[in-house]
Amino acid sequence: MNMLATAFMNSSPFHGMPSGKLGSHTGNLLAHTMINTKHVSNWGLQYKAPTKVDAKKLGALDSNILDQEKEGPNMVSDLGLRKMIQDGFIFQEKVCIRYYEVGPDQTASVETVMNHLLETSVNHMKTIGLMHDGFGSEEMSKNNLTWVVAKTHMVVDRYPTWGDIVQIDTWKSAHGKNGVCCNLTFCDCKTGEILVRASSIWVMLNKNTRKLSKFPNMVRAKLEQCFVDTLPTVKEDTRTWSEEAENIYEHICKGLMPRWSDLDINQHVNHVKYIGLVIESVPKPIVENYEIHSLTLEYFRECTKDNVLQSLTSILGNDKGIIANVHFVDCHHLLQIGGGGGNIMKGRTRWRLKHSKSQGSGASVRSLANGSV
Amino acid sequence: MNMLATAFMNSSPFHGMPSGKLGSHTGNLLAHTMINTKHVSNWGLQYKAPTKVDAKKLGALDSNILDQEKEGPNMVSDLGLRKMIQDGFIFQEKVCIRYYEVGPDQTASVETVMNHLLETSVNHMKTIGLMHDGFGSEEMSKNNLTWVVAKTHMVVDRYPTWGDIVQIDTWKSAHGKNGVCCNLTFCDCKTGEILVRASSIWVMLNKNTRKLSKFPNMVRAKLEQCFVDTLPTVKEDTRTWSEEAENIYEHICKGLMPRWSDLDINQHVNHVKYIGLVIESVPKPIVENYEIHSLTLEYFRECTKDNVLQSLTSILGNDKGIIANVHFVDCHHLLQIGGGGGNIMKGRTRWRLKHSKSQGSGASVRSLANGSV
């Protein structure tokens, strides 16, 4: 999947969607919203509130709502794990977290979660006829157009562990005139708990001119048929970053070389790999003792196998590089092509002390002043 | 998964297994063997021949054999995609190749295939009670023992593509007195075609002493109950490498840094990641125009996040670095810790011209003499 963010994305606020077709078919979607409302990120990422549809009136609070599925079309080859529900407005897929998808702490890595976000979004696009070959619809291919991901927001309440079965629901909403917001939730099938809420913004790129494109009419028509008129799963972080903050990246990891295995169907480094490269510049005590609670990533340009990258991290609000045993750590990140080749990605992450560690002695005060990772 | 190969592995030939319990329950297994016998690697990796059991007598040639499943115990949480068949001797699992698992040519990457080999082997171990926590059985944990992979053999006839549904069958056989051979086949569910045949050798490591261990009695008893008395799926490459060949690695990629995302449940770089690192030193024309047809990888030591690695490749049988448009290219590989830190992995790969390219003009003569990658 390509990725790109441009100026016009910023002119399209997350809210003020065109009217959708959701009507009274929001049961499952809103059940997710209602199950777990206590978690609110104080860091610019807020969970969707069911302001536009009253879930109670729709009977969406029934605990069995997850089973109230109505089959829709299914154009994606699968193993019986994918379906359209809610009259075709929500695409649902179940996955089992695999052994090789978990990290040292036995939970799914952030890359694994983002891989599944991408996978489910792509499968949804394929199912509604807007992704026939891994790039776009047939009409898009004729016009040399391809989908690109411009931005990703994610809030992780709990990372699933090896063997967990996760239900992923996704629905689309409009993002301005020429953007699509893919909304997603991860739900633990055993407990019904919402684990992850995310949204990603997709736009259209002309493969020849490398410029963004308006939606062709047929694509617009198909999208409007499936748009859901709700707020996005994760509210956009609209704060601008101060120049001052951007210029103090005290942790730098240079010489990062994309591997052949980082390339995807588009011949470029898959944008999900960027988060792994970003983490390379995060100080070791943070990576080992904290986990990513939320992130906002904004993609600017493509990256090829030949690029040598540098990853930069700035830790916000810590005094002279000392991290106390605080519950959260906020970071700014930049991923650049070395030698002044430009920014590939800009991002923010909020890290949360891992549960097992937070019950410890509180002795994890470490010095990061020397900037080493 | 840890990985390690030691001297004692070499003393245990692949053949001469202790008697197993397969009896007359080889239908599915042998159906695989019989479906596709025309492909024989000339490079030390030969497909298993059904020499010990006459499949015809068992009626195993029925084309519907893949459906003749007999349910066994299932201790792994799943989505109805995993089961024990053939009276519990074969563990079977179905997977759908995901968007993010394919590379630039839209087929599953070699890492994807090896990930699934590992996943299915681990799930089988878990199902038979020999992997309760990602490391080993409860008895193994009490004795600080863990499974490690010592060697992998694989022959790929065709890589599955995005959306393909693949059935993976695995069964275990003995490998000497203290080794387990995990045999695997990948089968395209749509065509019945065997795509991949592989075997990996697992041994037991004492986590404290870092030395190999004999099997505890309870583990041995459990294993003997499920051992299948056949030749391994892929015959071992028993050729020794000449010192001369080992010393001519004309393609070297230095400064490879393991990423956080390379680490697995054991806190070490997952051995599947090694193949990706090995490929980094394979010349670009080979990576772009060829695909790995077969490989033999032998693991020597663990690798941590802090190690800086170098990947070395030697191309066999080409004259002064010139690759003509030959159908196959054979390579030797070494993955080392830089600065004389020792060998992590040694391997051989045979690369096959990609189908689409092999129908071309034959103009892919390239010079590799300068050793650049």
Side-chain angles (χ1 to χ4, degrees), chain A residues 245-266:
Chain A
E246 287 193 37
N247 289 331
I248 311 171
Y249 288 98
E250 65 265 39
H251 304 283
I252 302 176
C253 182
K254 293 185 179 181
L256 290 167
M257 296 180 289
R259 302 174 188 163
W260 287 107
S261 55
D262 295 330
L263 306 186
D264 70 5
I265 212 166
N266 289 293

Side-chain angles (χ1 to χ4, degrees), chain B residues 25 48 91 115 125-126 174 206 292 295 307 318 355 370:
Chain B
H25 308 293
K48 175 171 71 74
F91 179 79
N115 273 333
M125 280 290 191
K126 196 172 179 183
N206 185 305
I292 290 180
L295 58 77
N307 293 135
N318 77 93
H355 292 303
N370 63 3

Side-chain angles (χ1 to χ4, degrees), chain B residues 2-53:
Chain B
N2 284 319
M3 59 257 100
L4 211 71
T6 61
F8 102 71
M9 294 308 305
N10 296 328
S11 66
S12 306
F14 247 106
H15 310 295
M17 308 288 168
S19 62
K21 301 289 187 345
L22 186 60
S24 61
H25 308 293
T26 53
N28 201 344
L29 185 159
L30 290 166
H32 280 186
T33 307
M34 303 306 286
I35 285 171
N36 194 340
T37 55
K38 65 177 178 176
H39 302 286
V40 177
S41 163
N42 294 317
W43 196 68
L45 298 173
Q46 293 152 33
Y47 300 153
K48 175 171 71 74
T51 51
K52 296 205 174 182
V53 183

